[in-house]
Amino acid sequence: MNKGKAKGTLIGVLLFIPVALLSGCWDRTEVNDLAIITTGGLDMTEDRKLELLIKQYLVAPTSNQQSGGFSADMDVGSGSSIVRSAQGVTMADAVSHLQQVLSRKVFWGQNEVFIFGDRLAKEGLAEVMDYLTRHPIPRERANVFLSFSPVKEVLELHPPIERSVSQALRKMAENQTGLNISLKELAEMMAGRSKAAVIPIVQIMPKNGKQESFAYINGTAVLKDGKLVGRMNDAETRGIMWLRNEIKTATVTASPPHAKGPISLQLLRSHTELVPHIKKGNWSMTVRIETHDDIVENASELDFSTLDHIEELEHELENQIKRRIQMALGRAQSEMKADIFGFADAFYRKYPKEWNRNKDRWDDLFSNMEVNVQAKVYVSRPGVTGKSIFKPEQR
């Protein structure tokens, strides 16, 4: 019995020890001890120093705070936000200087947007990208943008609808009317075989009467070897997206040669295939695009219940896709010499040995490459009403 009691006592002590060690929250960090960053900005000053700008959420006493919780979209409501900046010779140096002017510990866990200034991009993004990808804290799925306006002006905006400028930009990118590029994707492009990358451009719509200024996405910035080499407009951006197989949603308006009004279509689905060729030392690329669309508005006199009119419209849409692709290709090949379409990866997958032998002269190969664009458009449905009941003259 004595041995049994001793054994039971020992077991009880052993079970109590881990419970005692696990109890309590001695090392927890309270929300109001953190400088919660919602948007990060990076630019270069006139004296060539790196400038780090952050939008910090200020926690106000609420039930959420008392329970220790917070959400990702916190720019207004229970608290407000401020913009702070610091300078340094490197990204890590700027972060340390930023911490010196903040009473709370910098917390990047809620930061979902990084905005680069054009002055920094012209000098090169390699150093800051090394920090953002090497450090374990920044989110690799954060969206990236480039601004030709001062980054501070973008961060100081307060959208009237969304809770923060970062949320507004992120949702615009997710709508995929323009490019949607994450920090991880930017790093992969910059370190990829072509050393070329694209970043969506954020612009500021000026204040107009009662309408406050707001940020929106318009155009594309092109990087080569980590440095900004040019920008493309909205039409050229569409060409980039067709070639990169990133068109997910779109409304296209076209007017066939014999039509007396425009026709608008909504994209249902699309697919782009890159087919590389090497014949007798000549490198070329075939781009095959297939897209399915629905007619959503017909302001012409054409009756699209007629097959001939459908085929005429499909042909016009095919030509429109080719024109936009050629616009983007022309500038990328001749002006920027930047393979932002993934051609290098397509050649490597199909011709790995030839690629490795010629990778050092890829810029010349890409710039002089013949690209054959084959577009096939299918108008799946002419719409619910068929022949317009408001245009009896439709033929």
Side-chain angles (χ1 to χ4, degrees):
M1 291 294 293
N2 291 336
K3 288 184 178 180
K5 289 182 178 180
K7 184 177 181 181
T9 303
L10 179 61
I11 293 174
V13 172
L14 292 176
L15 290 174
F16 175 77
I17 290 174
V19 173
L21 292 175
L22 292 175
S23 63
C25 299
W26 58 271
D27 63 342
R28 71 177 181 179
T29 302
E30 297 288 350
V31 173
N32 48 339
D33 292 330
L34 298 175
I36 301 171
I37 311 303
T38 60
T39 313
L42 292 157
D43 209 342
M44 181 167 285
T45 63
E46 293 183 358
D47 56 352
R48 300 177 63 80
K49 284 188 177 180
L50 178 67
E51 183 178 24
L52 170 63
L53 305 102
I54 56 96
K55 194 161 191 175
Q56 176 191 350
Y57 174 73
L58 302 180
V59 180
T62 63
S63 59
N64 280 343
Q65 178 187 330
Q66 293 169 2
S67 63
F70 52 89
S71 64
D73 301 320
M74 308 176 303
D75 205 47
V76 296
S78 61
S80 59
S81 61
I82 58 173
V83 175
R84 290 287 184 264
S85 65
Q87 298 177 10
V89 293
T90 66
M91 178 70 178
D93 187 41
V95 172
S96 67
H97 283 96
L98 177 66
Q99 186 63 78
Q100 291 176 6
V101 299
L102 295 175
S103 59
R104 302 179 181 184
K105 183 179 180 181
V106 174
F107 179 71
W108 293 95
Q110 299 299 314
N111 180 34
E112 296 189 326
V113 166
F114 285 101
I115 302 174
F116 302 110
D118 65 308
R119 183 181 293 173
L120 173 64
K122 290 174 183 176
E123 291 292 324
L125 298 181
E127 291 184 4
V128 298
M129 287 296 295
D130 181 82
Y131 177 90
L132 294 175
T133 54
R134 186 184 299 272
H135 199 285
I137 300 301
R139 303 177 65 169
E140 63 179 15
R141 295 190 180 276
N143 286 91
V144 292
F145 301 92
L146 189 140
S147 175
F148 286 87
S149 302
V151 175
K152 185 177 181 181
E153 294 183 7
V154 180
L155 266 61
E156 289 178 339
L157 294 173
H158 294 277
I161 300 177
E162 305 299 342
R163 295 185 177 182
S164 65
V165 67
S166 61
Q167 185 187 35
L169 291 173
R170 184 164 49 86
K171 287 193 173 183
M172 289 179 190
E174 289 173 353
N175 289 335
Q176 293 186 314
T177 54
L179 287 169
N180 182 12
I181 304 296
S182 68
L183 184 66
K184 177 178 179 290
E185 291 167 335
L186 175 60
E188 290 173 345
M189 287 187 285
M190 290 177 60
R193 295 180 179 86
S194 65
K195 306 296 182 184
V198 288
I199 306 179
I201 296 174
V202 56
Q203 289 188 280
I204 299 176
M205 181 68 71
K207 182 177 180 180
N208 184 11
K210 294 183 178 180
Q211 177 180 283
E212 296 294 331
S213 300
F214 63 91
Y216 68 104
I217 301 171
N218 184 28
T220 301
V222 178
L223 275 62
K224 180 69 182 297
D225 296 323
K227 297 181 179 180
L228 178 66
V229 294
R231 60 187 296 182
M232 295 198 182
N233 60 31
D234 188 58
E236 293 164 337
T237 297
R238 286 288 174 171
I240 296 173
M241 295 176 70
W242 280 116
L243 285 167
R244 290 169 58 90
N245 194 29
E246 293 182 5
I247 289 282
K248 304 300 179 185
T249 177
T251 298
V252 183
T253 300
S255 183
H258 303 296
K260 296 180 181 179
I263 302 100
S264 294
L265 301 97
Q266 185 173 5
L267 178 70
L268 296 176
R269 59 186 180 276
S270 69
H271 177 72
T272 301
E273 181 184 9
L274 301 180
V275 185
H277 309 280
I278 301 178
K279 294 182 179 179
K280 298 181 179 179
N282 294 321
W283 295 48
S284 62
M285 178 69 72
T286 298
V287 180
R288 296 172 182 166
I289 298 174
E290 182 177 304
T291 175
H292 295 256
D293 305 78
D294 275 358
I295 298 175
V296 294
E297 184 176 358
N298 179 16
S300 73
E301 81 290 355
L302 299 180
D303 176 12
F304 288 106
S305 62
T306 302
L307 182 59
D308 290 343
H309 293 164
I310 290 286
E311 292 177 348
E312 187 178 356
L313 178 60
E314 290 173 341
H315 183 67
E316 176 60 27
L317 291 172
E318 291 166 358
N319 290 335
Q320 189 175 117
I321 292 173
K322 292 178 182 179
R323 285 194 296 269
R324 294 199 175 190
I325 288 176
Q326 292 299 336
M327 288 170 60
L329 266 173
R331 295 198 61 203
Q333 286 184 296
S334 60
E335 181 180 332
M336 304 174 192
K337 300 184 184 301
D339 171 23
I340 55 178
F341 314 114
F343 286 8
D345 292 325
F347 274 100
Y348 175 77
R349 287 192 295 268
K350 188 173 182 179
Y351 304 102
K353 294 182 180 179
E354 288 83 351
W355 162 260
N356 287 324
R357 286 196 295 265
N358 294 275
K359 61 183 180 181
D360 293 336
R361 63 187 191 100
W362 172 247
D363 287 349
D364 291 334
L365 289 171
F366 172 73
S367 300
N368 298 293
M369 185 178 299
E370 179 183 350
V371 181
N372 177 28
V373 181
Q374 300 174 359
K376 183 59 180 176
V377 175
Y378 297 95
V379 175
S380 302
R381 294 181 291 267
V384 176
T385 57
K387 186 175 181 178
S388 176
I389 59 176
F390 307 105
K391 289 181 175 291
E393 71 277 9
Q394 278 191 348
R395 55 183 177 82

